[in-house]
Structures are given as C-alpha cells and as structure tokens.
Amino acid sequence: MKNIVVLVSGGGTNLQALIDAEKKGMLGNGKITCVIASKADAYALTRAENNGIKTRVLVRKEYDDVAAYSKAMTEALKEEKADLVVYAGFMTILDEQVCSAFPYKMMNVHPALIPSFCGKGFYGLHVHEAALKKGVKLSGATVHFVTEECDGGPIIMQKAVEVKNGDTPETLQKRIMEEAEWKILPESVRLFCDDKISIVDGKAVINQ
Ligand code: GAR
C-alpha cells in the first residue's frame, strides 16, 4: 500500500472526496494515513478525526520563514513515511526542500484550467473572481505535480466546467468543486497509487 499524506488549510471538501473515494475502494493501492493542517482551526482536521485518520498541525505563523516551515514539513512527511503528498486546499507556500525530498510525489488540485488563473495570488475564491472578471465561458480544475514553480508542475488531469450567466465567485467555486475537483483529485490519486503515471519529457503521461 502507498501512504497518502494530505495537506490542508481550510474546509477540507477535497479531503472528504478522498476519504469517500477510499471507502468505496476507489483509491487503488493508496491509503490516507495522515492529514497535516497549516491552521489549528481547519475544519478539515475534524473530517479526518471523524474518520479515524491521524492528524498533525504545523502552524505557519510559528515559523520564522518559508525555509524553516518547509524544513519542518519535510521532516514531518518523512516521519509519516509519505509515498504521496496531496495538497487539498493547502494555502501555504513550501520551498524547494520539500519538492526535492518528494520529486513527482506531491500533487495539488487547483480550481482553474492551468495555465489560466494560476500562480502567486491565485488561490481559493480569488481564482474564480479573476475568471468571472475576464468573462471566460469555461473554467474548471487541474491536478498537477508540485514543483518549485508555483502551479507550474506537470499536469495530471483537467476537467472543464461551464461558467453560467449570473455566476458569483461562490457559485462558480461550488460548481467547479462538485463537477471537477472532487472527481479528478481522487482519480489522479488512484492513478498514482496504481503506478499509472509516468513523466516523459517533463510531462505527466497516464498509462491506463
Ligand atoms: C479548493 O477549491 C481548491 O482547489 C483550492 O482551495 C479550495 C479548498 O477547498 N485550492 C487552491 O486555490 C490552491 N491554489 P477545500 O478545503 O474545501 O478542499
């Protein structure tokens, strides 16, 4: 089995989608063994506890800088013997120490079709505000490997979602979560845990 460690900062609906998928046998050879939050009051921690999953909290504010926080996170991930690290609504930046300790073993779900509306400053509702401001007719979600470049690692899966007249950032976020994120994140995790993803010329290739 592969140990999956999930990093969270907030509500944890993507974590819930992973927990539900595991219960249905849809994470293949993977098992969620630990949830690590960057905030002590993240509701995602309650979701983990309700499902008997070990939790840890590494509060960003308790560390002087990104390097110190990244070092602590790398140590925690090694202690947890993580085979896969999933950023599921994890809003804290980590540096290259973590990426080099877990190369192509960390994935992130982003609530837009990368390379649109991504990079520094594009997180949570800000992403949907930007999409609505631009007037795009399609947005969606992307799951990608985490590299040193913010939202720039190899893309694993994407799913498009229609933008509707009258959408607010909140309604668009909800539709993208329901129709895209909660589907492609568990599926990407399954593909990884079943060794179906390879990196070829810097791109992720899925071998079904
Ligand atoms: C999700 O929409 C996720 O894609 C986004 O934050 C939300 C977290 O919700 N992540 C980012 O913006 C990362 N750049 P959740 O806590 O309910 O899963």
Side-chain angles (χ1 to χ4, degrees), residues 8 10-20 43-44 47 88 177 181-182 185:
V8 296
T13 64
N14 279 287
L15 169 66
Q16 190 68 53
L18 290 169
I19 292 170
D20 294 346
Y43 183 68
R47 295 180 190 271
M177 283 176 158
E181 297 185 46
W182 300 344
L185 183 61

Side-chain angles (χ1 to χ4, degrees), residues 10-14 88-91 108-111 122-124 173 177 181:
T13 64
N14 279 287
F90 184 64
M91 304 302 193
N108 175 48
V109 60
H110 182 75
F122 287 97
Y123 60 91
Q173 178 184 56
M177 283 176 158
E181 297 185 46

